[in-house]
Amino acid sequence: MRRIQIFDTTLRDGEQSPGCSMNIKEKIDMARQLEALGVDVIEAGFAAASQGDFNAVRAVAKELQKTRVASLSRALAKDIDNSWEAIRYAKYPRIHVFIATSDIHMEYKLKKTREEVLEQTGEMVRYAKKLCEDVEFSAEDATRSDPAFLARVCETALEAGATVLNIPDTVGYTTPEEIASLICYLKEHVKGIHMAQIATHCHDDLGMAVANSLAAIKAGADQVECTVNGIGERAGNAALEEIVMNLKTRADYYDADCGIDSTQIYKTSRLLSSITGVKVQPNKAIIGENAFAHESGIHQHGVLANKATYEIMSPESIGLSKNKMVLGKHSGRHAFNERVHDLGFNVDLDISNTLFKNFKDLADKKKTVSDRDIEALVRSILVSEIPKTYELQRYVINSGNTITPTSNIALTSGGGEVTEKVAKGFGPVDASFNAINKIVGKQIRLEEYAIDAVTEGRDAQGEVSVKITCDGAIAKGYGLSTDVIEASILAYINAINNLIYENAREEQ
Ligand code: KIV
Ligand code: ZN
C-alpha cells in the first residue's frame, strides 16, 4: 500500500477564510491537536504576512516534536528569509515557495513573462534550499496553466532542489479526470520527477476539492494538502476528514493509507469549530451532526438488524463514542476533567478549578450539561486568559417598542478606575456598543455579530461572537451568558481586549 502524506494547512489557507482567524494560543492548541491526529506536515502560516503570523509560525515550530512545520513564502528572498527565521527551530522545518504559472496570473497579477517566472522559480528555490533542506515548490493556478510550460517550471524547481512539487487547483476549476491526466502528463514530461514527492492542493469552488484530491492520489500524488472541516479561501479547501475516511473506507480502491489516527477526527473538528466559532453544517460528510444519524424507520430497522446495511464506517472510527456518560450536577471533578480533555482542551490547574466551578453553577441551572455547553464554558474561560484591559462592572438597559433604547455601561480599566457612559442606539445591543466606544474613546467598527444558543431549550446559554476593526486592525471576541445582552456586551469587551493585546504583541 502507498503511504500518502497528509499536509494540513488549516492554520494558513484555512485561517484565510472569513471568521476563521486564530490568535497564537489558539494556533498552538490546534497544532498540538493536529499532531495528535497524526498529520505529516503542518503549514503554520505565512511568516512574511505580518508580525503576528511570524510569531505564530515560530511558536508552532518550537512546539511540535513529531510533525514537520512549513511556512509559506512568495518566490521572493524577503519572504523566504522570514519563513526560515520563523521555522528554523522546528525539529523538521520546510520552506514552501510558490509562484503563479497560469497565463492569466502571470500577465495580470505578476506582470511577468514565462521566461521571467522560470528564472525566478530557479533562483528562489535555490535560495530557499541554501537555508533549508526541505523545500516545497507550488505552481499556483497549476490546473489552468499550459501543461508544457508547467512541466518546464516543475523541472526548473526540481533542478534547483525542490523536494516536493505541488500542483494546486487554486480556483477550484478542475475535474477529477483532468487533474489525474495532468499529473500523469507531468510524470511523463518532467525529468527527475520521481526524485520528488508530487502533491496536490485543491479548492472547493465547484464542490470538487475532495474528489479532485483523491483522483490526484490515484494518479500518483504522494501528498494531499487539506484543512480540517474544509475551511479555507472562498468555498474552502479539500476537507482532511473526508480525504482520510475515503482512504480508510475504500482502501480496496485506493490501495493507499495515511498516518492519521482517525479516532482523533471528531475531536479535532470540534476543537476547530470551538476556537473559530464557525460551525459545521449538520449534513457535512464525516463530522456533521447528522452524519451517523438514521432517521427513517426503514434505515433504523436495517441498522438494528445489521449496522453494515446503512453504515459504511462506524461512528467510533472517527472518535464518536455512543456510551459517553451524561454529565450533570452529581458528576465529579475526575469525569468532568476527562471530558474536557476528550474535547481537545489542555487546561492548567487554576483554569480547571474555575472551569469546574462554572460547570457546577451551570449544572444547577440545567438538568444535563452537554459537550457543547462544556466547550462553551472552556471557550469563555480561555478568552478571559488575555489581560483584561477593560472589564464589565455593571450595565443598565432601558428599552421598549415605544422608546429609543439606551444603555448605561460601567467598565473598569487597567488601574481599577471605573468609567461610566450612556448612549443610545438602534437596539439595546447597539446602544451598549456605542456606550463602550465612548468609554474606550476609539472609532471601533462592528464587522460581524453572531448569536447562537449553545443547546436547545429555554435554559440554553447564549453565545455571542463578534468581529471588530479599529485603525486597520481586526479582532474577534466571545461572550457567554444566559442573558443575550450580557453575552453581547462581554463579547464586545473581549474583542477590544484582544485588539489591545494583539497590538501590544505586534509592537514588541
Ligand atoms: O491555492 C493555492 O494555490 C495556494 C498555494 C499558495 C499553495 O494556497
Ligand atoms: Zn490554497
Side-chain angles (χ1 to χ4, degrees):
M1 258 201 193
R2 290 165 59 212
R3 164 76 155 77
I4 306 301
Q5 303 281 307
I6 303 292
F7 176 115
D8 180 275
T9 183
T10 306
L11 301 181
R12 198 277 298 170
D13 222 341
E15 208 221 3
Q16 285 171 222
S17 65
C20 288
S21 55
M22 295 170 236
N23 64 31
I24 288 202
K25 169 147 194 348
E26 292 167 338
K27 284 190 178 177
I28 293 176
D29 281 350
M30 200 58 215
R32 280 195 197 131
Q33 180 54 33
L34 287 168
E35 186 162 75
L37 177 68
V39 306
D40 299 282
V41 188
I42 290 178
E43 186 162 57
F46 188 166
S50 69
Q51 188 62 41
D53 263 46
F54 177 89
N55 294 344
V57 177
R58 191 161 55 178
V60 170
K62 285 184 174 168
E63 179 71 23
L64 300 184
Q65 291 310 308
K66 292 189 292 202
T67 318
R68 196 166 283 283
V69 180
S71 169
L72 184 68
S73 342
R74 287 167 297 179
L76 299 173
K78 64 176 172 96
D79 278 26
I80 295 170
D81 287 339
N82 262 298
S83 277
W84 178 239
E85 274 314 307
I87 57 162
R88 63 186 305 165
Y89 302 108
K91 203 150 185 192
Y92 306 105
R94 173 181 291 178
I95 296 180
H96 182 185
V97 180
F98 79 98
I99 193 163
T101 53
S102 64
D103 287 338
I104 184 163
H105 275 228
M106 289 187 292
E107 182 179 347
Y108 292 99
K109 192 181 78 173
L110 298 179
K111 302 196 184 348
K112 285 190 189 289
T113 63
R114 288 184 173 195
E115 292 312 310
E116 284 169 333
V117 166
L118 271 172
E119 199 182 309
Q120 196 172 335
T121 299
E123 205 182 310
M124 287 302 118
V125 172
R126 251 190 310 280
Y127 185 81
K129 189 75 179 181
K130 283 201 187 120
L131 301 171
C132 183
E133 175 46 39
D134 189 359
V135 177
E136 171 166 341
F137 171 74
S138 285
E140 192 190 10
D141 208 15
T143 54
R144 292 195 302 163
S145 304
D146 167 18
F149 174 64
L150 180 63
R152 284 179 67 202
V153 177
C154 288
E155 209 165 287
T156 306
L158 268 179
E159 280 166 4
T163 37
V164 182
L165 280 182
N166 184 24
I167 311 301
D169 183 29
T170 304
V171 291
Y173 180 75
T174 198
T175 68
E177 291 75 15
E178 283 172 345
I179 197 161
S181 56
L182 181 60
I183 290 193
C184 293
Y185 174 88
L186 293 173
K187 278 175 30 181
E188 251 174 60
H189 291 85
V190 177
K191 221 185 314 143
I193 196 163
H194 58 279
M195 310 273 287
Q197 270 181 24
I198 304 176
T200 192
H201 171 117
C202 299
H203 280 267
D204 208 29
D205 299 65
L206 290 171
M208 301 295 281
V210 171
N212 289 335
S213 305
L214 292 166
I217 290 176
K218 199 79 179 139
D222 316 286
Q223 174 182 287
V224 265
E225 306 196 354
C226 44
T227 59
V228 175
N229 298 349
I231 64 167
E233 280 274 354
R234 307 179 308 278
N237 288 58
L240 178 147
E241 60 280 0
E242 294 181 26
I243 292 175
V244 169
M245 291 316 284
N246 267 279
L247 292 180
K248 295 207 181 273
T249 311
R250 295 304 312 275
D252 61 318
Y253 178 75
Y254 292 105
D255 196 24
D257 199 4
C258 58
I260 296 290
D261 172 1
S262 70
T263 63
Q264 294 287 326
I265 284 181
Y266 185 71
K267 182 170 166 178
T268 314
S269 160
R270 292 293 317 156
L271 180 66
L272 180 67
S273 295
S274 185
I275 285 175
T276 58
V278 176
K279 304 231 158 39
V280 164
Q281 84 215 41
N283 61 328
K284 163 88 173 63
I286 319 294
I287 36 101
E289 211 158 291
N290 299 343
F292 292 95
H294 302 279
E295 179 75 22
S296 99
I298 297 175
H299 289 205
Q300 287 175 349
H301 182 215
V303 170
L304 286 174
N306 181 342
K307 281 186 187 165
T309 50
Y310 288 100
E311 265 183 21
I312 56 167
M313 56 201 155
S314 70
E316 290 79 10
S317 66
I318 63 151
L320 262 173
S321 157
K322 283 199 180 129
N323 305 320
K324 265 195 211 158
M325 264 186 297
V326 173
L327 296 181
K329 65 176 175 186
H330 300 299
S331 303
R333 184 182 287 268
H334 185 72
F336 176 72
N337 285 350
E338 208 164 278
R339 183 66 57 83
V340 170
H341 180 260
D342 282 353
L343 289 169
F345 296 102
N346 298 301
V347 292
D348 305 335
L349 189 64
D350 51 335
I351 292 180
S352 136
N353 288 340
T354 320
L355 198 55
F356 187 63
K357 185 189 164 299
N358 293 359
F359 158 70
K360 283 286 184 181
D361 289 348
L362 185 65
D364 269 340
K365 295 187 201 140
K366 297 188 78 196
K367 214 164 85 199
T368 56
V369 178
S370 70
D371 283 354
R372 297 281 159 91
D373 283 317
I374 296 174
E375 284 168 356
L377 286 178
V378 178
R379 264 198 307 273
S380 70
I381 296 261
L382 292 183
V383 296
S384 55
E385 268 193 298
I386 57 144
K388 287 180 184 151
T389 311
Y390 292 101
E391 224 173 326
L392 178 65
Q393 261 283 318
R394 58 181 179 273
Y395 68 93
V396 178
I397 306 283
N398 194 11
S399 182
N401 60 346
T402 55
I403 55 167
T404 304
T406 316
S407 175
N408 183 334
I409 301 244
L411 300 187
T412 320
S413 59
E417 179 193 334
V418 177
T419 316
E420 191 162 4
K421 294 280 177 198
V422 181
K424 291 183 175 156
F426 294 114
V429 171
D430 186 45
S432 303
F433 292 178
N434 289 339
I436 295 172
N437 284 359
K438 278 191 184 175
I439 296 173
V440 175
K442 283 197 164 52
Q443 273 307 313
I444 298 163
R445 271 174 61 103
L446 178 69
E447 301 291 341
E448 282 171 24
Y449 173 92
I451 182 158
D452 222 339
V454 176
T455 51
E456 297 86 34
R458 295 174 68 169
D459 59 355
Q461 304 184 90
E463 193 175 25
V464 173
S465 42
V466 297
K467 189 158 117 189
I468 58 166
T469 49
C470 181
D471 300 330
I474 306 174
K476 286 184 308 179
Y478 174 82
L480 181 71
S481 169
T482 43
D483 174 336
V484 293
I485 306 285
E486 182 171 284
S488 306
I489 294 171
L490 292 174
Y492 199 67
I493 297 171
N494 177 234
I496 292 171
N497 288 339
N498 273 329
L499 195 83
I500 294 169
Y501 178 62
E502 290 296 334
N503 281 347
R505 286 177 73 102
E506 297 235 336
E507 277 163 19
Q508 273 168 21

